[in-house]
Amino acid sequence: MEQREIMNLSEKLLIPTYKRYPIVLRKGRGVRVWDVEGKEYLDFLAGIAVNVLGHCPRKVVIAIQKQVQRLIHTSNLYYTEPQLSLAHILIKNSFADRVFFCNSGTEANEGALKLARLYMKKKFGKERFEFISTFNSFHGRTFGSLSITGQEKYHDGFEPLLSGVKFVPFNDPQAIYESITDKTCAVILEPIQAEGGINVPDKDYLKKVRRICNEAGILLILDEVQTGIGRTGKLFAYEHFGIEPDIMTLAKGLGGGIPIGAILTKEEISKAFAPKTHASTFGGNPVACASAVATLETILEDGYLLNHCERISKYFIKKLNSLKEKHSEKIKEIRGLGLLIGMELFIDGSDIVKKCLEKGLLIGTAGDGKVLRFTPPLIIEKEDIEEALKILNEVFNEAKS
Ligand SMILES: *Cc1c(COP(=O)(O)O)cnc(C)c1O
């Protein structure tokens, strides 16, 4: 089938939740993907921060191939080896003692909310159900995660949402302090707001929030669905800020492209999730876990990739800042950490993204649409960045201010 035909038929058959770009992707290797007509693209979005090792990384492909030949699915009525291997790696390399596996970011957050409520109720023997979240946050599309997402545009038409959620401005510890009552259960935050515009908080923000949570005896949940798995140059973003959460959620990069999510927590809190309180049929599926194990092993080998991410990030941000100097009437600010980078514009970002795509560069938007989102694979090299910048420069030259 031709590209146009695939697009037209897809538009007829799929429920129209997405506004897709007009290409049909067929193949990927490393930082590059190809459409069905053979046109090549440099992928600086990487499946929205999912393909941390790029497309079809060898080690991950082999791990998946081996696992699908051995065992594809069992349910959680039985133990499997890949699930244990993945739990070992995550626990060895994080604050956590225990982990629960699910299939996506929103599902991890749903589970984290349930775990927090159950734990706090058991601990205090009364209702402690309120969550404090932040404006411009993004936590997912199912009802619980949607309810703690601080963006009205995503709530529209779906009310009533979960009750007991308060929103405060991001990067404002005092606002959290003032929102705490004797019913507060937990604060939930992204260490860096990703979808909401790549908003990086002050260096001491999380430390202050951690202290406030400790003093009030409430839980701190970090949603590292997008910031985790090496994205910011550390395996988890909380490592940059000198704190540890009580509960952390993961997904996106975790499976190296295969769907998987996880909830990580401390021993004491984990006990609230006794048998029959929470479950997932597919959670911790052997293929997904084998893929995640191969992904994490690759990232953690010698710490090479994490160092590379930090180094190449500096280079990328420097280059983006020179581009900003050159197009100062169109580009307002470059911000981010590691390879989670935003470029705030004075103009609409969606046209820029479309023009980049035409010239063979895939990027995304964030926030109100005036922020360009760059989340390339951690394996990008200087030459890839040069190529991307050449395209961006052309596009900004042609764009109207
Ligand atoms: C993408 C994202 C989610 C939702 O993940 P899904 O896998 O799409 O459900 C939740 N939180 C954050 C921070 C995200 O970036």
Side-chain angles (χ1 to χ4, degrees), residues 104-371:
S104 67
T106 199
E107 196 187 344
N109 286 331
E110 293 290 332
L113 298 179
K114 283 179 69 182
L115 176 61
R117 276 196 176 170
L118 211 51
Y119 171 73
M120 291 297 272
K121 192 170 181 182
K122 280 187 179 164
K123 185 172 174 190
F124 290 93
K126 61 180 174 94
E127 302 293 328
R128 296 270 309 233
F129 61 84
E130 284 176 2
F131 295 109
I132 299 174
S133 181
T134 56
F135 291 115
N136 292 319
S137 58
F138 183 82
H139 298 293
R141 303 297 198 137
T142 53
F143 269 109
S145 304
L146 184 64
S147 302
I148 54 161
T149 290
Q151 303 189 59
E152 259 176 45
K153 65 179 179 203
Y154 294 133
H155 293 176
D156 254 2
F158 297 117
E159 298 90 349
L161 300 178
L162 198 66
S163 58
V165 183
K166 285 183 184 170
F167 293 101
V168 297
F170 189 60
N171 200 23
D172 183 351
Q174 184 65 19
I176 290 178
Y177 177 78
E178 285 166 11
S179 298
I180 293 174
T181 69
D182 60 359
K183 298 219 169 13
T184 305
C185 171
V187 172
I188 180 157
L189 294 172
E190 297 158 84
I192 295 168
Q193 288 187 331
E195 200 273 345
I198 321 291
N199 305 317
V200 185
D202 294 340
K203 248 193 142 12
D204 59 357
Y205 174 60
L206 284 177
K207 256 197 182 136
K208 286 180 178 164
V209 174
R210 179 70 271 184
R211 197 175 317 135
I212 290 167
C213 289
N214 287 353
E215 280 166 14
I218 62 181
L219 300 176
L220 176 58
I221 305 171
L222 287 185
D223 177 346
E224 291 233 27
V225 167
Q226 189 151 172
T227 53
I229 319 300
R231 177 56 48 197
T232 66
K234 305 250 185 238
L235 191 58
F236 306 112
Y238 73 78
E239 298 170 47
H240 288 284
F241 300 102
I243 60 130
E244 288 182 350
D246 299 301
I247 300 173
M248 173 170 74
T249 55
L250 299 174
K252 288 203 167 83
L254 178 58
I258 297 281
I260 182 168
I263 305 168
L264 279 72
T265 193
K266 297 298 243 184
E267 177 72 23
E268 188 200 338
I269 298 168
S270 75
K271 288 188 192 133
F273 260 174
K276 300 206 189 296
T277 51
H278 196 59
S280 166
T281 301
F282 287 121
N285 167 280
V287 180
C289 286
S291 181
V293 166
T295 302
L296 286 170
E297 279 178 354
T298 308
I299 292 174
L300 292 168
E301 259 168 31
D302 309 328
Y304 164 77
L305 213 62
L306 296 178
N307 288 334
H308 175 75
C309 175
E310 290 206 308
R311 265 200 313 270
I312 205 91
S313 160
K314 288 201 183 89
Y315 182 78
F316 193 13
I317 289 177
K318 194 178 82 191
K319 288 277 169 179
L320 289 171
N321 271 312
S322 344
L323 192 76
K324 181 193 124 183
E325 297 310 317
K326 215 170 147 193
H327 302 280
S328 55
E329 75 295 350
K330 291 167 195 160
I331 303 174
K332 190 173 168 191
E333 190 187 41
I334 312 296
R335 55 183 184 242
L337 200 58
L339 289 172
L340 178 60
I341 300 173
M343 176 194 272
E344 188 169 348
L345 307 177
F346 291 111
I347 57 176
D348 181 46
S350 60
D351 278 347
I352 301 286
V353 172
K354 268 181 225 144
K355 294 269 159 55
C356 284
L357 179 124
E358 283 165 21
K359 292 177 189 286
L361 172 67
L362 305 185
I363 56 171
T365 57
D368 57 3
K370 283 192 168 171
V371 179

